[in-house]
């Protein structure tokens, strides 16, 4: 749709070429036909975070945070304070007595500090520096007026930047992800373990906050790469070994799993055996999201759709990109976006179709991968003839970056923001809408100058 406008594209590393799903140049369902490149960073831009309906922040390996206006692309502030790369970012919002919201940005860095910034003034309000290792994740609990930092321990802070309590130090590499679950509980990913903590609130008898370990989940066989909420009752995790596990948030028990996204590959020649396993990075779960009905999983170069109702994968694109998919997000009902190390951003739509009579009775038997669900029956039932199948169709392909696209933000005003290893942030705009807005502004200006009388 859009070719590279700012320089030549170069390969992002050696990769085995495969039949990557492609799209024709005509993309009627892709609204993003205009782009605006934002310069300022001088290293990989890894993080984007939405502040409000018209502002967002970008951060990355140069240790700088930029605040931008998404509608105009104007740089609103440049926040300097870290001496090494930024490793986590979060937005903290507070309402005053008149219900006016003020916003703060929290940033963690490899320099073992966490900084708090005022979004409106760009000032650094506070710096916390008593960490023993890098803080890798931040989460804000607005309902409790608390925020948490995760590194080689888990710490709880109030909105006045005061430490309330913390866990013991972990002996391994520390916390890589945190999510909030019901009943003031937290799930933290530590290497291949999931640890559920309970946050106890102050009472008359015990006036201080406390954090208590409730349970450890040892089911994963490799380091956990992704952790996400599904709904109030369920969360999901994914590992480097291609394991996806669905958990009960209230009991901490395993509800379902899909532990192998390996594909049986044909032999390279008549003398070679069937290669049962792909390279490790091709089965690693990179990102997981959910809309409450489906779980969308980025595995290696592919995207998979898992149904919570049937407890099975119902659709996939095994080669959605040339290289690993780094980030996925649902942007509207049944529409999904993905970005990859190959420098592309792609738009997908989950569609239903009626299978042919010769279609296989099972998704995994068709593709030859995945082990049976632990809770599934060994008896394979014949699907009813009226069964509706699903597929992921590519409806848009955005080519504007020359490096790996790390993540993106979707704005309801038909705008998309991407960041990349090429040091750029790009705002993608709805070309048709932008054209109408420009025409309207031109007519309004001419009318004001008495150069044109509009007919009603």
């Amino acid at each position: 749709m859009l070719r590279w406008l700012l320089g030549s594209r170069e390969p992002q590393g050696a990769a085995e070429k495969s039949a990557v799903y492609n799209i024709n140049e005509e993309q009627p369902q892709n609204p993003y036909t205009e782009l605006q490149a934002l310069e300022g960073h001088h290293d990989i831009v890894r993080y984007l975070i939405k502040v409000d309906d018209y502002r967002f922040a970008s951060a990355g390996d140069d240790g700088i945070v930029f605040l931008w206006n998404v509608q105009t692309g104007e740089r609103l502030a440049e926040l300097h304070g870290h001496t090494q790369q930024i490793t986590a970012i979060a937005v903290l919002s507070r309402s005053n007595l008149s219900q006016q919201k003020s916003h703060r940005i929290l940033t963690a860095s490899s320099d073992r500090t966490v900084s708090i910034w005022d979004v409106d003034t760009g000032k650094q309000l506070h710096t916390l520096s008593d960490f023993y290792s890098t803080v890798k994740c931040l989460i804000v609990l607005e309902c409790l007026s608390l925020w948490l930092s995760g590194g080689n321990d888990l710490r709880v802070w109030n909105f006045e930047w005061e430490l309330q309590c913390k866990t013991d130090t972990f002996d391994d590499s520390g916390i890589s992800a945190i999510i909030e679950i019901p009943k003031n509980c937290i799930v933290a990913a530590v290497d291949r373990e999931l640890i559920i903590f309970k946050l106890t609130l102050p009472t008359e008898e015990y006036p201080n906050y406390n954090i208590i370990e409730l349970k450890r989940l040892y089911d994963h066989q490799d380091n956990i790469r992704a952790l996400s909420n599904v709904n109030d009752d369920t969360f999901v995790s994914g590992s480097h070994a291609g394991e996806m596990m669905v958990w009960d948030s209230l009991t901490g028990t395993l509800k379902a799993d899909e532990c192998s996204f390996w594909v049986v590959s044909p032999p390279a020649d008549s003398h070679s055996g069937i290669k049962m396993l792909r390279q490790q990075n091709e089965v690693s779960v990179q990102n997981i999201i959910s809309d409450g009905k489906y779980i969308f999983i980025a595995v290696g170069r592919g995207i998979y759709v898992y149904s919570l109702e049937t407890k099975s994968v119902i659709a996939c694109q095994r080669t959605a990109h040339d290289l690993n998919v780094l980030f996925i997000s649902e942007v509207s009902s049944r529409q999904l976006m993905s970005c990859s190390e190959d420098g592309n951003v792609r738009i997908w739509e989950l569609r239903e179709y009626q299978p042919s009579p010769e279609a296989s009775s099972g998704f995994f038997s068709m593709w030859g991968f995945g082990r049976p669900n632990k809770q599934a029956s060994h008896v394979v039932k014949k699907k009813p003839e009226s069964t509706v199948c699903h597929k992921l169709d590519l409806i848009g392909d955005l080519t504007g970056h020359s490096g790996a696209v790390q993540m993106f933000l979707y704005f309801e005003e038909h705008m998309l923001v991407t960041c990349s290893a090429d040091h750029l942030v790009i705002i993608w705009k709805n070309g048709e809408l932008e054209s109408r807005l420009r025409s309207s502004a031109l007519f309004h200006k001419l009318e004001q100058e008495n150069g044109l009388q509009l007919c009603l």
Side-chain angles (χ1 to χ4, degrees), residues 221 243 245 257-261 364 369-374:
Q221 301 301 306
E243 308 160 308
M245 298 190 181
D257 72 344
E258 203 57 69
C259 292
S260 294
F261 291 96
F364 286 100
F369 68 95
R371 77 181 186 196
N373 188 282
K374 290 181 179 179

Side-chain angles (χ1 to χ4, degrees), residues 153-223:
D153 57 13
L154 180 62
R155 301 188 183 191
V156 180
W157 309 81
N158 64 18
F159 282 9
E160 306 302 323
W161 331 125
E162 298 168 335
L163 180 63
Q164 303 301 296
C165 58
K166 64 179 181 178
T167 64
D168 294 332
T169 301
F170 299 105
D171 294 331
D172 34 40
S173 60
I175 298 171
S176 59
I178 306 172
I179 58 170
E180 179 185 9
I181 59 175
K183 298 185 177 180
N184 298 330
C185 288
I186 303 295
V187 182
V190 182
D191 285 341
R192 63 184 64 184
E193 298 179 11
L194 292 169
I195 308 176
I196 301 177
F197 295 96
K198 172 76 172 181
L199 184 62
T200 61
L201 307 183
T203 63
E204 291 185 3
E205 186 177 0
Y206 301 101
N208 298 319
Y209 286 95
N210 194 16
I211 189 162
I212 303 168
E213 182 179 319
L214 295 183
K215 190 173 186 178
R216 292 199 176 211
L217 310 176
Y218 299 97
D219 296 67
H220 279 290
Q221 301 301 306
D222 207 336
N223 289 347

